[in-house]
Amino acid sequence: DLLRIDHVGIAVPDLDAAKDFYAETFGMRVVHEETNEEQGVREAMLAVGDGTGPRLQLLAPARPDSAIAKFLDRSGPGLQQLAYTVADVEAASAALRARGLRLLYDTPRRGTAGSRINFVHPKDAGGVLVELVEPA
Ligand code: MC0
C-alpha cells in the first residue's frame, strides 16, 4: 500500500543554483543533502511550509552517464519523478509486478538517507517515473 507522497523530484543542471532559486523565490529550506554515487546524483531535500508534508527533491547529475544527466539531455530541467512512501518496498514492488508493471530493480537499492527504493518504469505508469521509498 502507498502511505503518502514522499517527495517530488526535479532534475536540475546545477544544484547550488537551484537551491538558491528555491530559497529566494519560495522560501524553502534544505533539510538534507547528499551524493548518491550508485544513482549518480547530488541531491537536496527541501521542506515545504512547516515541513510536515511531502518534500521537494532537487536532483543534479554527479556523472555525465547518469539517469539525471540523460534526462536533462533529453527533456531539460523539470519534473523527473513522483515518490510514494511505503512500509515495505519489497512487498509494494511485488504487488505492482503482479499487476504487470515493470520494476526497474530486482532488489531494492539505497535511496536518500538510508531509505530503500525501487522504481516503476515510466512507460508502465502513464509517463510518470514512480519511486517507492521505504524510509530507514
Ligand atoms: C525516461 N522517460 C521518462 C523518464 N525518463 N518518462 C518520464 N519520466 C522520466 N523520468 C521516457 C523517455 O522519454 C522515453 O520515452 C522512455 O522513457 C525511455 O525509456 P528507456 O530507454 O527504457 O530508459 P532511459 O534510458 O531513458 O532511462 C529511463 C529510466 C532511468 C527511468 C529507466 O532514468 C532510470 O533507471 N531511472 C531510475 C533511477 C533514477 O532516476 N535515478 C535518479 C534519481 P520515449 O517515448 O521517448 O521512448 S535518484 C533518487 O531518486 C534517489 C536518490 C532517491 O530519491 O532516494
Side-chain angles (χ1 to χ4, degrees):
D1 291 4
L2 305 180
L3 299 177
R4 67 189 82 89
I5 292 177
D6 190 276
H7 63 265
V8 175
I10 296 179
V12 303
D14 180 329
L15 191 65
D16 292 326
K19 280 159 51 185
D20 288 347
F21 174 81
Y22 279 91
E24 287 159 16
T25 310
F26 299 116
M28 292 186 199
R29 67 181 194 288
V30 175
V31 292
H32 179 77
E33 197 170 331
E34 70 178 76
T35 298
N36 186 321
E37 297 291 351
E38 185 181 31
Q39 292 291 334
V41 295
R42 289 183 63 214
E43 60 143 307
M45 281 289 190
L46 278 57
V48 183
D50 66 6
T52 57
R55 289 173 173 177
L56 196 76
Q57 181 184 44
L58 303 176
L59 295 159
R63 296 192 299 269
D65 64 341
S66 59
I68 294 300
K70 189 170 181 186
F71 182 90
L72 287 168
D73 284 345
R74 182 156 46 193
S75 308
L79 288 177
Q80 191 259 348
Q81 58 169 263
L82 176 60
Y84 297 100
T85 313
V86 297
D88 180 337
V89 68
E90 269 144 341
S93 299
L96 294 174
R97 254 187 229 109
R99 288 168 201 152
L101 280 65
R102 279 170 294 167
L103 277 289
L104 294 185
Y105 308 139
D106 292 336
T107 55
R109 295 194 185 168
R110 203 190 69 78
T112 310
S115 58
R116 299 168 74 234
I117 61 173
N118 205 339
F119 294 87
V120 179
H121 196 284
K123 290 295 171 190
D124 292 351
V128 178
L129 175 60
V130 170
E131 182 182 354
L132 305 173
V133 183
E134 179 188 319

